[in-house]
Amino acid sequence: MAGKKRRKLKLLAETETDGTKMVTEGKEERLELHDWSELPAELLELIMCHLTLEDNVHASVVCKKWHAPAISVRVVNQSPWLMYFPKFGNLYEFYDPAQRKTYSLELPELYGSRVCYTKDSWLLLYRPRTHRVFFFNPFTRDMIKLPRFELTYQIVAFSCAPTSSSCVVFTVKHISPTVVAISTCHPGATEWVTDNYQNRLPFVSSIWNKLVFCNGIFYCLSLTGWLGVFDPVKRDWGVLVVPPPKCPENFFAKNWWKGKFMVEHKGDILVIYTCCSENPIIFKLDQSKMAWEEMKTLDGLTLFASFLSSQSRADLPGIMRNSVYFSKVRFFGKRCISYSLNDSRYYPRKQCYDWGEQDPFENIWIEPPEDISAFI
């Protein structure tokens, strides 16, 4: 009996020399032992998109099969945060869509002000009661004041951080369908400079216009889709002879003027048109042909759209790429809505995407600080 038991134990312990198969007791079938490198690429990407940059780099050198999935989801950029402006009180919330976390800051310095624009972690704000215009960095608490200026129904943008000597603040409003007034200022100035310009094409300004600064030029998308351009160095203004992007008729239903956004990325101008009953359409300005071309893919780019300013990012986690993240919140939570060009659908799917009821001043995308622990 003892000899039989020893033979059985020996049989159970036998394995093939390649290390990939094992003999099972009482059965002739053999079970394969899979190596970690044999995991499907989709599963590897899903795992690695949750790793830190340092861990991702380490994982990419484990073996050849891990290298490509690790590189494809490697994050070398931070997504912007969605900053919420409370109706009452001084508690401001910041939502990180990449980590799905919310942070809070008490910012009494912003009491009585409304947000106008954001760039490089700086906010441009306006106090209607006093006509005070100022920059504020919520993460460093630095404030830079500008001369007082009355901002009525017009939008404002700035070219770069106000700590730079090349920072220019820009705003435009129409005096008539063929005349606009353009005002500029810069940190350290004692007054705003305003000039009137004649338009060859009709240009109507409103709070629903969109502004971006790209290649040294301010681009302004009008209510009706025409594109005005202003060179702050030459102080030249004009309306480009580029017909507005072509959208289906149902895109011009209720609140159509509120559901469009504009963003720049490495010299390209992109516009996003939305409709409550259709998927969004994204156009890029072909500056050689001076025409809008529809984009079927963002080539891995991620867009973050809000009423007052929008941003773009490359090299974000794989699940965020080729998508548009909107400032509209979902149901009762503070999670934003996104649209995936890969899947041709919104996340979450079953919601109303009519922008008419959302206050344009209630939130805005802002670049987060490099060190999160510094203010939490």
Side-chain angles (χ1 to χ4, degrees):
M1 289 293 292
K4 288 185 178 180
K5 286 185 177 180
R6 281 196 295 269
R7 284 195 295 272
K8 284 187 178 181
L9 291 173
K10 183 179 180 181
L11 180 64
L12 288 172
E14 287 181 353
T15 57
E16 294 192 4
T17 56
D18 62 2
T20 61
K21 296 183 179 179
M22 176 177 64
V23 178
T24 59
E25 180 183 7
K27 295 182 181 180
E28 294 181 355
E29 60 185 273
R30 294 176 177 179
L31 302 178
E32 294 185 0
L33 295 178
H34 292 281
D35 191 273
W36 283 100
S37 65
E38 297 177 2
L39 287 174
E42 295 81 4
L43 183 56
L44 283 171
E45 289 180 359
L46 183 61
I47 294 171
M48 292 188 182
C49 72
H50 293 286
L51 301 180
T52 64
L53 177 59
E54 182 179 0
D55 290 338
N56 180 287
V57 173
H58 290 160
S60 68
V61 297
V62 169
C63 62
K64 290 182 179 180
K65 291 187 177 180
W66 281 28
H67 182 74
I71 292 295
S72 68
V73 299
R74 179 170 294 172
V75 180
V76 295
N77 207 346
Q78 281 185 296
S79 69
W81 289 357
L82 192 58
M83 180 179 180
Y84 295 90
F85 287 75
K87 293 183 179 180
F88 306 99
N90 298 317
L91 185 64
Y92 293 76
E93 292 187 335
F94 300 81
Y95 175 69
D96 179 357
Q99 301 297 325
R100 296 185 178 181
K101 291 183 179 180
T102 300
Y103 308 99
S104 300
L105 277 178
E106 286 279 351
L107 300 172
E109 300 95 329
L110 304 187
Y111 179 77
S113 64
R114 76 181 188 208
V115 64
C116 299
Y117 200 77
T118 181
K119 195 166 189 175
D120 300 333
S121 298
W122 285 87
L123 298 166
L124 181 63
L125 301 116
Y126 174 66
R127 287 197 174 99
R129 290 186 178 181
T130 61
H131 299 166
R132 168 62 68 190
V133 184
F134 64 101
F135 290 100
F136 184 76
N137 188 318
F139 310 122
T140 63
R141 302 297 182 95
D142 292 332
M143 181 183 293
I144 299 176
K145 295 181 180 180
L146 293 173
R148 298 179 191 274
F149 188 77
E150 184 176 1
L151 295 172
T152 52
Y153 297 100
Q154 62 205 83
I155 54 174
V156 192
F158 57 97
S159 59
C160 57
T163 51
S164 170
S165 59
S166 59
C167 177
V168 178
V169 184
F170 165 84
T171 184
V172 57
K173 69 176 181 179
H174 72 275
I175 305 300
S176 70
T178 58
V179 178
V180 296
I182 290 178
S183 301
T184 60
C185 193
H186 62 270
T190 57
E191 61 181 4
W192 290 69
V193 177
T194 301
D195 296 306
N196 290 348
Y197 295 85
Q198 192 80 25
N199 291 326
R200 293 183 179 180
L201 294 169
F203 184 90
V204 179
S205 65
S206 78
I207 194 63
W208 302 108
N209 288 6
K210 309 300 173 185
L211 277 174
V212 298
F213 183 77
C214 180
N215 295 329
I217 303 293
F218 285 101
Y219 289 82
C220 183
L221 187 69
S222 76
L223 197 66
T224 52
W226 291 91
L227 199 60
V229 293
F230 178 74
D231 186 331
V233 176
K234 299 179 180 179
R235 297 199 66 82
D236 287 339
W237 163 264
V239 180
L240 297 182
V241 188
V242 180
K246 294 182 179 180
C247 294
E249 288 296 327
N250 55 350
F251 271 67
F252 300 97
K254 179 183 177 182
N255 297 316
W256 63 268
W257 60 89
K258 298 182 179 181
K260 66 176 186 291
F261 310 88
M262 184 167 62
V263 62
E264 69 89 19
H265 181 73
K266 293 185 177 180
D268 288 327
I269 304 295
L270 310 178
V271 296
I272 308 162
Y273 276 71
T274 65
C275 173
C276 62
S277 60
E278 300 287 344
N279 290 336
I281 303 177
I282 303 173
F283 298 91
K284 181 173 74 172
L285 178 63
D286 187 328
Q287 301 188 40
S288 61
K289 299 179 181 178
M290 296 305 288
W292 294 103
E293 293 186 350
E294 184 176 348
M295 300 181 68
K296 298 297 184 182
T297 178
L298 293 173
D299 295 323
L301 195 66
T302 308
L303 305 182
F304 298 86
S306 61
F307 287 107
L308 298 175
S309 68
S310 300
Q311 300 188 27
S312 63
R313 290 290 190 277
D315 301 321
L316 290 182
I319 56 176
M320 298 184 70
R321 297 180 185 180
N322 216 37
S323 299
V324 182
Y325 282 75
F326 294 97
S327 58
K328 190 176 178 65
V329 298
R330 52 177 293 185
F331 293 121
F332 304 104
K334 291 293 177 68
R335 295 184 179 180
C336 49
I337 290 170
S338 65
Y339 175 81
S340 168
L341 276 76
N342 291 335
D343 303 333
S344 299
R345 57 156 289 187
Y346 279 100
Y347 288 92
R349 189 192 299 272
K350 295 182 179 180
Q351 289 203 29
C352 176
Y353 300 104
D354 179 12
W355 296 92
E357 297 181 358
Q358 187 164 345
D359 183 354
F361 303 106
E362 73 178 14
N363 55 42
I364 196 169
W365 292 106
I366 186 171
E367 185 173 332
E370 294 183 2
D371 184 10
I372 299 176
S373 63
F375 73 98
I376 294 178

